[in-house]
Amino acid sequence: MKRALLKMLTLAAVAFGWAANPVQAAESIRIGYIPVLGSSALFVVDGEGWAKQAGLDVQLVRFTSGPQAIQALVSGRIDGYVAGVLPLLQARAHGVDVKVVATASIEELSVIARGALADGIKPDDTSGLTPDAVKAIFARFKQDQKRLPRLAAQPAGSVPDTLLRYWLQKQLGFEQVNTVASIVGVDIDAAQQAFLAGAVDGAVLREPALTVVKTRLPDARILASGHDMMPDQPGSVLAIVKPDAAEHKAWVGTLTNLFVRATTLLAQHPDEAVPFVQKALGGGMLNDDVMKTALEHSASRFVSDPARIVESVRQLQDFEVSAGLLRKAEPVEDLFEMGLWQQAKP
């Protein structure tokens, strides 16, 4: 009954809210994304054919890291993106009129360990290791291996890199990152491959990579869950360039509505999204069971309300400034357009 009611309400919203008549976009709407589970709402919108039904020609453009997507956004090659939120603040600092209209997920990123770095972590310790326990793991590794653990993240300036440094310094209390770990900045696929190959001792990964890794390496352990790294950790967002421009107003409300609808489906009925996410992320390498498990594990983290991450974005930006990663803080509130979500929320 709930499922039927949700469908009726969302169909009604499209029919009578943003699109009393199907929107006819003047040209293709180019939305960049990075291939992670946090982008799943975009895959659902595309796979279900909702955008086409609403008169939108949405073209998905794949990137391997957030900074790559930001470069495309700044240069005008895409109209919006589904990826990490922090680089958007710097894009705005450089004069790009871009705003977050909805979130896609929260607490996506976790730290996973293997080999000596995973020693002593029980299989059921998927979260909840105390900071002291984690610090002891790092100390033991350094003493036994005579080196620092290598941790794979994405390139400097990306959300995974910033969040890893935040976790090490603010949550664990290490004053200097380079005294506790060697951070290796690579793209998303390379981080997973490096971890599987044993080239690194730990990695900042998201689903479905976490499920894949744990399936292939049963001894791998979660060193820090997304919540452990930062409560309400900002994940992927839907951001639009010039959302108030006349040419974008014609479709931005409808797209936001559909994105929120897809996020609600992922949170409430993740199994229904499997074929769409599998097509976008599986690449013939993952079976449906792995993707279903990854989506089910992430269901509670598919959240569309942008207000949920405002404070955590502010905290991460303040951290970047204090760590010398950013020259100055940008107004966080100016990054968010709450009105579109308010009109689209289920």
Side-chain angles (χ1 to χ4, degrees):
M1 180 65 72
K2 283 185 178 180
R3 172 71 179 129
L5 180 59
L6 172 64
K7 194 165 187 177
M8 289 171 62
L9 288 173
T10 51
L11 283 172
V14 171
F16 300 109
W18 287 108
N21 296 304
V23 174
Q24 294 299 324
E27 54 190 40
S28 296
I29 303 164
R30 303 156 301 174
I31 304 296
Y33 72 94
I34 56 175
V36 296
L37 217 67
S39 302
S40 292
L42 195 61
F43 309 145
V44 171
V45 170
D46 182 61
E48 289 278 16
W50 292 343
K52 186 175 181 180
Q53 293 166 18
L56 303 183
D57 178 17
V58 177
Q59 302 295 319
L60 308 191
V61 184
R62 185 183 189 273
F63 297 95
T64 58
S65 72
Q68 286 183 355
I70 281 292
Q71 289 172 10
L73 187 147
V74 170
S75 65
R77 290 188 287 122
I78 56 177
D79 303 298
Y81 94 161
V82 179
V85 64
L86 286 182
L88 295 170
L89 286 165
Q90 291 311 298
R92 285 186 61 83
H94 287 83
V96 180
D97 180 11
V98 60
K99 290 202 172 186
V100 172
V101 298
T103 54
S105 61
I106 61 171
E107 299 180 359
E108 288 180 53
L109 297 166
S110 298
V111 180
I112 191 165
R114 61 169 294 165
L117 193 61
D119 285 350
I121 305 176
K122 297 178 181 178
D124 56 350
D125 284 341
T126 56
S127 65
L129 288 176
T130 66
D132 285 344
V134 177
K135 290 170 75 173
I137 290 171
F138 277 106
R140 184 178 67 244
F141 183 98
K142 183 177 180 179
Q143 180 177 1
D144 294 346
Q145 304 301 314
K146 310 303 181 186
R147 63 175 177 85
L148 298 179
R150 292 184 291 269
L151 304 179
Q154 286 173 44
S158 68
V159 175
D161 178 81
T162 298
L163 191 65
L164 176 58
R165 295 174 188 277
Y166 177 91
W167 174 64
L168 289 170
Q169 293 188 262
K170 295 297 184 180
Q171 303 291 63
L172 298 184
F174 292 112
E175 291 187 8
Q176 297 293 328
V177 169
N178 59 10
T179 64
V180 66
S182 297
I183 297 178
V184 182
V186 293
D187 68 32
I188 294 170
D189 293 336
Q192 177 181 330
Q193 292 163 6
F195 186 84
L196 287 171
V200 294
D201 307 291
V204 181
L205 298 179
R206 327 172 210 214
E207 294 288 6
L210 288 169
T211 296
V212 170
V213 162
K214 287 186 284 186
T215 300
R216 298 183 186 178
L217 296 176
D219 292 336
R221 298 286 184 265
I222 296 295
L223 193 57
S225 69
H227 187 78
D228 293 334
M229 294 186 80
M230 183 181 208
D232 282 342
Q233 171 200 131
S236 300
V237 300
L238 172 62
I240 304 296
V241 178
K242 298 179 181 178
D244 295 323
E247 64 271 23
H248 287 182
K249 275 190 173 182
W251 52 262
V252 67
T254 300
L255 182 61
T256 303
N257 190 307
L258 297 177
F259 194 86
V260 171
R261 176 184 174 188
T263 305
T264 301
L265 183 145
L266 286 158
Q268 298 181 358
H269 305 280
D271 55 306
E272 296 184 19
V274 171
F276 311 125
V277 181
Q278 173 74 306
K279 180 180 178 182
L281 300 182
M285 302 292 289
L286 305 179
N287 61 45
D288 285 355
D289 289 339
V290 169
M291 193 62 73
K292 184 173 183 289
T293 298
L295 284 166
E296 289 175 345
H297 285 170
S298 303
S300 65
R301 296 191 287 274
F302 287 115
V303 174
S304 63
D305 182 2
R308 182 79 176 263
I309 65 168
V310 172
E311 183 55 34
S312 54
V313 169
R314 182 181 291 108
Q315 290 177 20
L316 281 181
Q317 182 182 231
D318 289 346
F319 169 73
E320 287 188 321
V321 172
S322 66
L325 301 173
L326 286 181
R327 189 169 53 191
K328 67 173 185 175
E330 297 296 324
V332 171
E333 290 80 2
D334 292 349
L335 176 61
F336 293 87
E337 168 51 68
M338 303 294 188
L340 291 169
W341 180 84
Q342 287 289 341
Q343 296 176 66
K345 67 182 180 180

